[in-house]
């Protein structure tokens, strides 16, 4: 097996691309505003839209739209004002290649002898059906700062195997506008998941800075983030993660996302140490579509006394069929220095949402 690590070269290429974009000559006049709006809607953020609507050459209607967005974010409203709220029902219909969180292989070799694992610990695949809900609330804190609260919960059942999956997620983020081009944020979030082979919990804190700028090819948002997570699973541990990402709304109505992350080492746990991702969003037959590719290397922990390392490659495709219906497919392949941990996973999801209020 070829275990040569391509990460340092890829990271260098990504950073070089980021520097080239940042240092590009500012040519706002070459950017078609309508294309930028489409591109921002495909993969951008409200911060990018605020920045785009702040160009001096735009009509007064753009200022009114910018004011409306800032009010909705809680940045330009009286402290304590609830500026947005929503609640949606979420039917669950997915196909999952690993419903129970089991191993992808049924046996391993130790000292030249084959050993089989129990059937209950092997991954099973099938259809999951169920439902859930997600909600959001935004409130002004005053002084150019807004608060966003998010919550979601899903419960699904696999009738073929009589297995269930439960998940809950919550987050609270405060975001502050220093200027139309510079923002900062701080978040607290947590997730809980229960599957057939046990449950896991994670809660974390994040701090980040956003810088938005024009270039000759579009509008870009550069984000730097530091994160600290507490994981409570089979082996409880803490980890720090630093990431750098660039979101671009490009001329021609396309969106591009690229980023890199580095995680701290953890004793006795196999965790993400390096991660890269890149994605593209386009309009296809008048509907949003996207593709994302990722590469990740995990290190740490042991298996039968041997240090464990994993290389994970992933890809996902999504398409919004209607405003309330989306389709997505996900695939991942894991190559390990220990054959028992080699794995392949695939998932198909129908995202069908109903607005309650």
């Amino acid at each position: 097996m070829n275990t040569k690590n391509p990460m340092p070269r890829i990271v260098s290429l990504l950073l070089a691309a980021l520097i080239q974009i940042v240092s590009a000559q500012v040519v706002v006049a070459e950017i078609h505003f309508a294309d930028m709006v489409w591109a921002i809607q495909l993969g951008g953020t409200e911060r990018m839209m605020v920045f785009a609507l702040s160009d001096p050459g735009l009509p007064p209607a753009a200022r009114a739209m910018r004011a409306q967005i800032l009010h909705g974010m809680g940045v330009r409203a009286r402290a304590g004002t609830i500026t947005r709220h929503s609640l949606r029902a979420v039917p669950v219909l997915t196909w999952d290649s690993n419903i129970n969180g089991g191993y992808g292989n049924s046996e391993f070799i130790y000292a030249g002898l084959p050993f089989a694992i129990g059937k209950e610990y092997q991954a099973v695949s099938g259809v999951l059906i169920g439902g859930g809900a997600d909600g959001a609330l935004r409130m002004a804190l005053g002084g150019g700062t807004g608060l966003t609260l998010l919550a979601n919960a899903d419960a699904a059942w696999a009738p073929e195997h009589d297995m269930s999956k439960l998940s809950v997620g919550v987050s609270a983020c405060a975001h502050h506008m220093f200027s139309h081009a510079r923002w900062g944020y701080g978040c607290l979030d947590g997730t809980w998941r229960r599957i057939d082979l046990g449950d896991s919990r994670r809660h974390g804190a994040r701090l980040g800075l956003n810088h938005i700028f024009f270039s000759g090819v579009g509008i870009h948002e550069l984000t730097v983030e530091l994160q600290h997570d507490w994981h409570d699973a089979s082996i409880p541990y803490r980890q720090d993660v630093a990431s750098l990402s660039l979101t671009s709304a490009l001329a021609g109505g396309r969106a591009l996302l690229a980023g890199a992350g580095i995680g701290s080492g953890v004793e006795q746990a196999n965790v993400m140490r390096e991660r890269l991702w890149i994605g593209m969003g386009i309009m296809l037959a008048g509907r949003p579509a996207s593709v994302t590719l990722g590469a990740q290397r995990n290190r740490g922990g042991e298996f039968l006394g041997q240090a464990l390392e994993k290389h994970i490659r992933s890809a996902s495709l999504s398409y919004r069929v209607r405003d309330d219906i989306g389709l997505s497919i996900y695939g991942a392949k894991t190559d390990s220095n220990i054959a028992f941990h080699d794995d392949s996973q695939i998932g198909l999801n129908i995202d069908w949402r109903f607005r309650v209020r």
Side-chain angles (χ1 to χ4, degrees), residues 224-268:
V224 179
E225 182 179 278
L226 298 177
Q227 179 175 345
H228 184 76
D229 282 338
W230 294 262
H231 295 263
D232 184 8
S234 56
I235 301 177
Y237 66 90
R238 297 184 180 189
Q239 187 185 27
D240 296 309
V241 177
S243 63
L244 174 70
S245 63
L246 180 72
T247 302
S248 298
L250 304 175
R254 301 181 307 277
L256 176 68
L257 171 66
I262 299 175
S264 61
V266 177
E267 290 187 11
Q268 299 181 347

Side-chain angles (χ1 to χ4, degrees), residues 264-284:
S264 61
V266 177
E267 290 187 11
Q268 299 181 347
N270 190 255
V271 297
M272 185 280 295
R273 298 300 307 278
E274 297 94 14
R275 178 174 58 202
L276 297 172
W277 63 92
I278 186 168
M280 174 69 78
I282 60 171
M283 296 299 292
L284 184 63

Side-chain angles (χ1 to χ4, degrees), residues 38-352:
W38 278 113
I40 293 171
Q41 291 178 340
L42 278 169
T45 66
E46 292 171 309
R47 296 179 296 270
M48 292 178 70
M49 188 65 77
V50 167
F51 181 77
L53 293 170
S54 300
D55 186 85
L58 295 177
R63 302 289 185 274
M65 185 181 298
R66 183 186 69 189
Q68 184 178 4
I69 295 173
L70 289 172
H71 180 273
M73 297 173 70
V75 174
R76 288 287 185 264
R78 183 169 53 87
T81 302
I82 295 176
T83 58
R84 287 184 191 170
H85 59 88
S86 65
L87 180 63
R88 297 184 295 183
V90 187
V92 174
L93 178 58
T94 66
W95 189 89
D96 194 334
S97 63
N98 192 343
I99 296 171
N100 60 335
Y103 291 102
N105 294 294
S106 59
E107 64 177 31
F108 59 90
I109 305 296
Y110 181 66
L113 300 175
F115 291 84
I117 65 171
K119 191 173 183 180
E120 66 274 21
Y121 297 107
Q122 298 176 23
V124 297
S125 60
V127 175
L128 286 159
I129 56 175
D134 62 48
L137 184 145
R138 283 185 157 179
M139 184 174 68
L141 298 180
T145 303
L147 175 67
T148 301
L149 303 175
L150 302 174
N152 64 79
D154 296 296
W157 176 59
E160 181 182 356
H161 306 285
D162 192 23
M163 292 179 178
S164 62
K165 263 189 172 183
L166 304 174
S167 65
V168 176
V170 294
S171 71
C173 288
H175 45 272
H176 179 76
M177 184 178 73
F178 299 104
S179 70
H180 294 142
R182 293 177 179 85
W183 300 69
Y185 63 90
C187 299
L188 298 174
D189 54 44
T191 57
W192 172 82
R193 186 181 71 154
R194 169 164 290 176
I195 54 178
D196 187 65
L197 291 178
D199 60 356
S200 61
R201 298 175 179 84
R202 184 204 62 83
H203 57 280
R206 295 180 286 130
L207 291 174
L209 294 172
N210 315 102
H211 176 63
I212 308 164
F213 58 96
F214 279 114
S215 80
V217 296
I219 302 174
H220 315 276
E221 180 173 334
L222 186 65
T223 300
V224 179
E225 182 179 278
L226 298 177
Q227 179 175 345
H228 184 76
D229 282 338
W230 294 262
H231 295 263
D232 184 8
S234 56
I235 301 177
Y237 66 90
R238 297 184 180 189
Q239 187 185 27
D240 296 309
V241 177
S243 63
L244 174 70
S245 63
L246 180 72
T247 302
S248 298
L250 304 175
R254 301 181 307 277
L256 176 68
L257 171 66
I262 299 175
S264 61
V266 177
E267 290 187 11
Q268 299 181 347
N270 190 255
V271 297
M272 185 280 295
R273 298 300 307 278
E274 297 94 14
R275 178 174 58 202
L276 297 172
W277 63 92
I278 186 168
M280 174 69 78
I282 60 171
M283 296 299 292
L284 184 63
R287 291 288 177 181
S290 66
V291 57
T292 304
L293 303 175
Q296 177 174 319
R297 186 171 72 161
N298 289 15
R299 299 198 305 275
E302 295 182 348
F303 183 75
L304 300 178
Q306 184 176 353
L308 180 60
E309 185 172 314
K310 297 179 181 179
H311 295 259
I312 304 168
R313 297 185 296 275
S314 61
S316 63
L317 298 168
S318 67
Y319 183 66
R320 180 60 55 177
V321 180
R322 295 187 345 191
D323 290 343
D324 57 348
I325 299 178
L327 300 175
S328 60
I329 184 170
Y330 167 86
K333 188 176 188 305
T334 300
D335 293 315
S336 173
N337 61 325
I338 299 174
F340 177 70
H341 288 273
D342 290 347
D343 193 16
S344 296
Q345 294 190 19
I346 191 169
L348 175 65
N349 179 59
I350 299 177
D351 181 18
W352 194 354

